[in-house]
Amino acid sequence: MDEITLVNLLNKICEKNHELTWKLNCKYHDELHTSVMQIHFLQSSNLAETTKITFKMETGQVIEGKHRGFLGFKQPTMLIDALLDILIYEDSRIGSLTTN
C-alpha cells in the first residue's frame, strides 16, 4: 500500500467534507512484517466516529469497515476502492446539501 496515495485520499475526503477529520492507527504488527491498520473519520465538531476501516497495510485489503450511509464494505475490498467510494459518497452528500 502506497502511504502517499493513502494520505492524499484521506485528505481529499476531508477537503470534500470540511466537517471530517481522520486518524490512522496501527492495531497490530508482527515479526513477519504484517501490519493491521485502522482508519477513523471523525466529525470535527463532536469527534463522533463516522467511519472505521480495518485493513492490511502491506496488501491494502480491507478486513472490515463501515461508513455512514453504507451497510459495510463487502469482502474482498481493497482500501483504495473503499476510500474512493467514501469520496464519491461525501461529494454527492455535500452536493445534495448545498442544492437543497
Side-chain angles (χ1 to χ4, degrees), residues 16-58:
K16 289 291 178 186
N17 184 342
H18 296 288
E19 298 174 359
L20 293 179
T21 185
W22 62 270
K23 76 178 181 178
L24 176 67
N25 296 327
C26 181
K27 299 310 265 179
Y28 175 79
H29 182 76
D30 66 15
E31 298 156 359
L32 302 174
H33 303 290
T34 301
S35 301
V36 175
M37 307 292 284
Q38 202 164 58
I39 295 171
H40 300 269
F41 281 105
L42 308 166
Q43 290 288 114
S44 300
S45 58
N46 60 7
L47 299 180
E49 184 177 88
T50 62
T51 306
K52 180 167 41 172
I53 301 173
T54 306
F55 67 99
K56 296 178 183 176
M57 186 66 181
E58 292 74 23

Side-chain angles (χ1 to χ4, degrees), residues 27 36-40 49 51-56 60-67 70-79 82-83 86:
K27 299 310 265 179
V36 175
M37 307 292 284
Q38 202 164 58
I39 295 171
H40 300 269
E49 184 177 88
T51 306
K52 180 167 41 172
I53 301 173
T54 306
F55 67 99
K56 296 178 183 176
Q61 183 178 6
V62 173
I63 298 168
E64 65 178 349
K66 62 182 178 74
H67 180 72
F70 291 33
L71 295 174
F73 296 103
K74 295 181 180 179
Q75 299 299 327
T77 299
M78 299 305 291
L79 181 61
L83 292 175
I86 292 170

Side-chain angles (χ1 to χ4, degrees), residues 89-100:
Y89 174 81
E90 289 300 326
D91 189 38
S92 67
R93 185 176 168 276
I94 296 300
S96 69
L97 291 176
T98 59
T99 57
N100 290 335

